[in-house]
């Protein structure tokens, strides 16, 4: 990857799940520096408490200021919005559906740009936040683990694959769906009804993006749609954990041992929970190592219908087979090399995979194919795209 020399300021604010945002921004910083960019990376724990540090950048020029799910659009200084006091386009990388960061996207900055994960998110942002000047689609990348001094071929060989510690590994948080049911019942009982309607549509095979599913069952006015989506975001969280619950139940019922690492799995109380092996929550930086010790990585998609979750790219990079529900990106690129289940008939889907899930040689072949293809899904590729987006912006300005 070659890029024109760029002067970039990375302002890290929110800590996403397991410290993932810190890992992503540190990778972006390091790769851009390796390729000639002048990058300053600062951690802002609290815009008010760290105001002296923030103000040190006021009046200065950069080719780009980058954040991830950043809260800084709301930060103010004496002259107005803090980010407007820096002479640079601000690029907010949104690592979730835009509805979850509505209050940061609706701020009308002078030079606001966004990188999001899939084309449906891009369409959503362009429709409901027209003040954002340009939006690019760049999914998250995979991170490969390799111990110092290990021979690559040996480490990812079949003999090593057979000895991997975990058969099926799922790194994800869990919240009992009953919690979100209670929240919605307390907040607005209509939310629960809407959640159930949307979940039924998905299980019937509707692959529309989540905001289109909302639109189909509500009469919300367009000018207030994004704000209403933000208020209804618990529906997304509820459906996400319902689906995780359903997939785990199907795997455990078929007799599989599933290793999970993430918050609150001790609260899982489904049948055959004795087959669920709960590990302590891992920092995101440690997840690639655990995947490199897993024969199969389970992915249950958030309500994205175009881009895969980064669990998929991390699993590919670390020579693991992937067990997942699908999305258009997977269908177009990896369908024949992944074990794909259908949420509409989850028990039948899982039951029908036994000839592969119980066959180490077949799993290894799938994992090896994905490992070879993972070179297209690295953070080096993502950083080249980020640098390209910055140069596009600079050519317009």
């Amino acid at each position: 990857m070659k890029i024109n020399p760029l002067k970039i300021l990375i302002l890290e604010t929110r800590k996403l799940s397991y410290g993932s945002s810190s890992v992503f921004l540190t990778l972006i910083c390091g790769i851009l520096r390796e390729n000639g960019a002048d990058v300053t990376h600062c951690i802002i724990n609290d815009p008010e408490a760290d105001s002296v540090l923030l103000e040190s950048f006021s009046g200065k020029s950069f080719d780009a200021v980058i954040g991830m799910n950043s809260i800084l659009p709301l930060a103010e200084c004496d002259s107005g919005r803090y980010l407007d006091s820096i002479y640079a386009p601000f690029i907010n990388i949104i690592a979730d559906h835009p509805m979850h960061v509505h209050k940061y996207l609706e701020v009308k900055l002078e030079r606001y740009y966004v990188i999001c994960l899939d084309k449906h998110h891009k369409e959503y942002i362009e429709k409901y936040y027209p003040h954002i000047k340009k939006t690019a689609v760049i999914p998250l990348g995979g991170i490969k683990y390799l111990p110092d001094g290990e021979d690559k071929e040996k480490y990812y060989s079949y003999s090593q694959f057979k000895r991997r510690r975990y058969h099926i590994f799922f790194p994800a948080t869990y919240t009992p769906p009953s919690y979100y049911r209670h929240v919605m019942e307390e907040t607005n009982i209509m939310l629960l009804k809407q959640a159930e309607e949307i979940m039924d549509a998905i299980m019937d095979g509707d692959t529309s993006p989540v905001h289109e599913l909302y639109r189909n069952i509500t009469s919300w006015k367009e000018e207030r749609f994004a704000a209403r989506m933000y208020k209804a975001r618990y529906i997304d969280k509820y459906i996400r954990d319902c689906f995780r619950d359903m997939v785990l139940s199907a795997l455990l019922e078929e007799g599989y041992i599933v290793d999970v690492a993430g918050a609150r799995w001790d609260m899982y109380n489904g049948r055959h929970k004795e087959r669920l092996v709960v590990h302590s929550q891992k920092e995101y930086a440690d997840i690639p190592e655990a995947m490199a010790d897993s024969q199969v990585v389970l992915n249950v998609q958030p309500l994205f219908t175009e881009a895969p979750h980064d669990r998929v790219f991390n699993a590919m990079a670390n020579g693991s087979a992937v067990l997942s529900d699908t999305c258009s990106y997977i269908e177009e690129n990896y369908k024949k090399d992944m074990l794909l289940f259908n949420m509409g008939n989850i028990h039948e889907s899982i039951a029908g995979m036994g000839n592969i899930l119980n066959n180490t040689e077949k799993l290894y072949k799938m994992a090896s194919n994905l490992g070879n293809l993972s070179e297209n899904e690295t953070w080096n590729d993502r950083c080249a795209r980020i640098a390209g987006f910055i140069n596009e912006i600079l050519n317009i300005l």
Side-chain angles (χ1 to χ4, degrees):
M1 176 182 76
K2 291 186 178 180
I3 60 173
N4 295 326
L6 294 169
K7 185 179 181 183
I8 297 170
L9 174 63
I10 295 177
L11 295 177
E12 178 182 338
T13 53
R14 300 179 71 190
K15 297 287 186 185
L16 303 185
S17 298
Y18 314 118
S20 57
S21 53
S22 293
V23 173
F24 299 150
L25 291 174
T26 299
L27 279 166
I28 292 169
C29 175
I31 293 169
L32 292 179
R33 280 177 179 166
E34 287 173 7
N35 287 277
D38 176 7
V39 186
T40 301
H41 182 185
C42 290
I43 296 173
I44 308 299
N45 292 311
D46 181 317
E48 188 170 337
D50 295 329
S51 60
V52 174
L53 175 59
L54 280 173
E55 288 166 9
S56 69
F57 299 113
S58 292
K60 294 186 177 178
S61 297
F62 296 88
D63 292 315
V65 178
I66 296 175
M68 180 171 281
N69 283 30
S70 178
I71 65 174
L72 286 180
L74 291 175
E76 295 186 336
C77 59
D78 292 342
S79 60
R81 297 291 181 187
Y82 169 73
L83 288 169
D84 287 338
S85 74
I86 304 175
Y87 301 118
F90 173 65
I91 301 174
N92 204 353
I93 301 174
I94 306 302
D96 208 331
H97 191 286
M99 70 171 143
H100 293 287
V101 290
H102 165 71
K103 62 183 178 180
Y104 308 116
L105 288 175
E106 69 174 344
V107 179
K108 293 179 173 59
L109 299 174
E110 293 176 10
R111 297 170 290 272
Y112 204 164
Y113 299 81
V114 165
I115 292 172
C116 59
L117 299 184
D118 81 26
K119 65 181 180 182
H120 298 304
H121 296 177
K122 180 177 187 291
E123 291 164 359
Y124 184 90
I125 290 167
E126 289 173 343
K127 183 170 186 176
Y128 295 110
Y129 308 99
H131 57 280
I132 291 174
K133 297 186 178 300
K134 191 175 180 63
T135 303
V137 176
I138 304 175
L140 302 175
I143 303 170
K144 188 181 185 72
Y145 171 76
L146 188 65
D148 293 338
E150 287 278 1
D151 177 77
K152 177 180 177 180
E153 297 303 319
K154 179 181 177 182
Y155 194 77
Y156 288 98
S157 66
Y158 178 63
S159 60
Q160 188 271 349
F161 187 83
K162 288 194 299 183
R163 297 194 301 270
R164 289 190 172 197
R165 179 181 177 188
Y166 310 122
H167 180 207
I168 301 174
F169 176 61
F170 186 34
T173 57
Y174 174 75
T175 302
S178 58
Y179 169 79
Y180 292 122
R181 287 181 65 91
H182 177 71
V183 169
M184 289 185 286
E185 287 169 346
E186 291 288 312
T187 306
N188 182 348
I189 194 63
M190 278 301 297
L191 292 177
L192 184 56
K193 181 177 182 295
Q194 290 167 353
E196 290 169 346
E197 287 184 52
I198 290 171
M199 195 152 52
D200 287 344
I202 294 170
M203 293 179 69
D204 285 341
D206 195 327
T207 59
S208 303
V210 63
H211 47 273
E212 292 298 334
L213 295 174
Y214 277 97
R215 183 177 282 106
N216 293 341
I217 62 169
T218 64
S219 57
W220 297 343
K221 294 181 179 179
E222 284 296 299
E223 62 268 24
R224 292 289 298 157
F225 188 81
R228 295 291 296 271
M229 284 281 288
Y230 175 68
K231 289 182 179 179
R233 64 196 182 279
Y234 282 109
I235 293 179
D236 178 64
K237 295 176 183 289
Y238 171 69
I239 295 173
R240 189 180 307 189
D241 278 287
C242 280
F243 284 173
R244 289 177 181 180
D245 208 280
M246 290 164 61
V247 175
L248 261 294
S249 295
L251 285 165
L252 300 178
E253 187 172 300
E254 284 299 309
Y256 296 107
I257 303 295
V258 182
D259 289 84
V260 293
R264 298 181 293 278
W265 279 107
D266 56 313
M267 300 175 72
Y268 179 82
N269 198 34
R271 292 180 60 200
H272 308 297
K273 65 180 180 180
E274 71 279 359
R275 295 175 186 150
L276 189 72
V277 182
V278 179
H279 301 271
S280 59
Q281 181 171 317
K282 294 182 181 292
E283 289 298 307
Y284 192 91
D286 298 325
I287 289 175
E289 181 179 1
M291 287 187 174
D293 210 9
S294 306
Q295 293 182 343
V296 180
V297 169
L298 172 63
N299 175 57
V300 183
Q301 283 281 114
L303 298 186
F304 303 168
T305 56
E306 203 273 333
H309 191 274
D310 51 288
R311 268 187 297 268
V312 171
F313 298 130
N314 282 333
M316 292 172 61
N318 289 289
S320 302
V322 173
L323 173 62
S324 179
D325 45 352
T326 194
C327 64
S328 59
Y329 193 99
I330 289 175
E331 291 288 321
E332 291 165 13
N333 297 285
Y334 303 116
K335 183 176 181 178
K336 68 182 179 65
D337 293 310
M338 292 185 182
L339 289 159
L340 302 176
F341 52 78
N342 186 324
M343 290 305 309
N345 60 344
I346 184 61
H347 287 272
E348 294 87 344
S349 288
I350 296 298
M353 295 177 180
N355 65 324
I356 299 178
L357 280 174
N358 294 312
N359 188 311
T360 307
E361 290 184 7
K362 289 182 179 179
L363 287 176
Y364 179 69
K365 183 177 180 180
M366 296 184 85
S368 296
N369 289 343
L370 290 174
N372 292 332
L373 294 168
S374 69
E375 297 302 318
N376 301 320
E377 309 290 5
T378 66
W379 274 101
N380 280 312
D381 170 80
R382 306 317 190 227
C383 287
R385 296 199 212 179
I386 291 170
F389 183 53
I390 294 170
N391 281 313
E392 283 181 36
I393 293 169
L394 295 177
N395 288 335
I396 294 170
L397 293 176

